Amino acid sequence: MRHWKVVAAGEGGQGVQSMAESLALAGYREGWKALYMPNFGIEQRGGVSLAYVQLSRAEIGSPKFLTANLVIVFSRRSLERCRQYIGSRTAILYDSSSLEMPAVADQVIGLQSYETSAPEAYPLRTGFKPAGEKVKIPLDERLVAIPAAELARQRLHPRVFNMIILGATAALMDTVDLGGLKETLEERFSRYFKRDPQLREQNFKGLELGFKLAAREKNQRIPLQEALTD
């Protein structure tokens, strides 16, 4: 793919903007023309946060586009907000977890403190029912389900789940490698990492886990590969 058009959507507090901006910066460092456009409103109170990323080998003519190659969905409600960008060949990456509310820890990088939403917004922020029920998403060969929030809670830290999604995104797009992503995070969050090296380890492990899971999905599913090919 020589020109990627990506839409990421989620609830305020899920780290959509951090993920999208890191993807664009990593792509730029790898030699791609890169464009990142945030779109959010009252996300600190549970509003939907959208981000648009384009990576291209040629000049990017317009910041807007009609159809995305890849849509990244963090919650059920955010899927409705970005449905207009889904075409017949658009691949969709989504978080398939069902979670309890994670503890708030502002020093963790995965979800930046300025994106932290109020506790009462959590059911909307996740899009999942609190009783452990998973939202049903229709089966489609272009869908990639990664239980990012659940994996982050079990193995790392609840608030680095967007790093798992970022790693998965990189594997599906095949535009930046793990080394480039880690260098980008190091550049953006060096002062936090120096203060607490464990944060670096958690975020890097999140990237690696997401990359591994999505690469396996991509290699095993021909229709998904076709959707992600010009």
Side-chain angles (χ1 to χ4, degrees):
M1 185 84 64
R2 294 186 59 82
H3 190 160
W4 280 97
K5 300 172 184 178
V6 181
V7 178
E11 306 296 331
Q14 288 188 307
V16 172
Q17 302 304 328
S18 293
M19 189 217 72
E21 187 175 5
S22 296
L23 175 64
L25 180 57
Y28 177 77
R29 292 169 60 102
E30 293 282 337
W32 292 79
K33 306 292 184 183
L35 179 64
Y36 155 67
M37 245 179 41
N39 185 332
F40 51 86
I42 56 171
E43 68 277 8
Q44 286 195 358
R45 287 292 172 180
V48 173
S49 179
L50 287 90
Y52 305 89
V53 175
Q54 293 189 66
L55 296 179
S56 178
R57 290 303 187 188
E59 296 295 330
I60 299 174
S62 171
K64 296 184 178 181
F65 51 84
L66 297 177
T67 306
N69 307 110
L70 177 64
V71 167
I72 306 164
V73 180
F74 284 57
S75 72
R76 183 179 187 178
R77 184 173 68 158
S78 63
L79 175 61
E80 297 302 320
R81 284 289 302 273
C82 61
R83 191 177 294 276
Q84 62 180 312
Y85 299 102
I86 300 175
S88 60
R89 288 173 56 84
T90 303
I92 303 171
L93 170 64
Y94 71 98
D95 183 359
S96 60
S97 304
S98 177
L99 280 181
E100 297 176 0
M101 183 175 179
V104 174
D106 288 346
Q107 73 273 20
V108 174
I109 300 303
L111 291 181
Q112 297 303 299
S113 59
Y114 61 80
E115 290 183 328
T116 301
S117 62
E120 63 269 19
Y122 186 77
L124 289 177
R125 186 173 53 146
T126 61
F128 298 113
K129 299 179 181 179
E133 300 177 26
K134 292 186 179 181
V135 174
K136 293 183 179 179
I137 298 180
L139 179 63
D140 191 298
E141 293 174 328
R142 296 168 298 143
L143 293 175
V144 179
I146 301 292
E150 183 176 352
L151 290 171
R153 182 182 62 174
Q154 292 176 350
R155 303 187 188 184
L156 300 168
H157 188 287
R159 301 188 69 199
V160 301
F161 84 99
N162 65 331
M163 293 295 103
I164 297 177
I165 293 293
L166 177 57
T169 300
L172 294 179
M173 293 176 63
D174 198 23
T175 53
V176 296
D177 58 26
L178 282 174
L181 286 175
K182 291 177 180 179
E183 289 177 5
T184 298
L185 294 187
E186 193 74 55
E187 177 182 319
R188 294 190 64 202
F189 305 124
S190 59
R191 64 190 182 101
Y192 296 101
F193 289 166
K194 289 178 181 178
R195 187 185 308 163
D196 186 353
Q198 187 178 6
L199 300 181
R200 177 189 291 108
E201 181 181 359
Q202 289 177 334
N203 281 269
F204 285 4
K205 284 185 176 180
L207 290 176
E208 294 166 0
L209 181 57
F211 193 96
K212 179 180 179 180
L213 292 173
R216 184 172 61 191
E217 286 284 327
K218 181 179 178 181
N219 292 334
Q220 291 178 348
R221 297 166 64 182
I222 295 176
L224 176 63
Q225 291 178 313
E226 292 175 349
L228 297 172
T229 304
D230 282 328

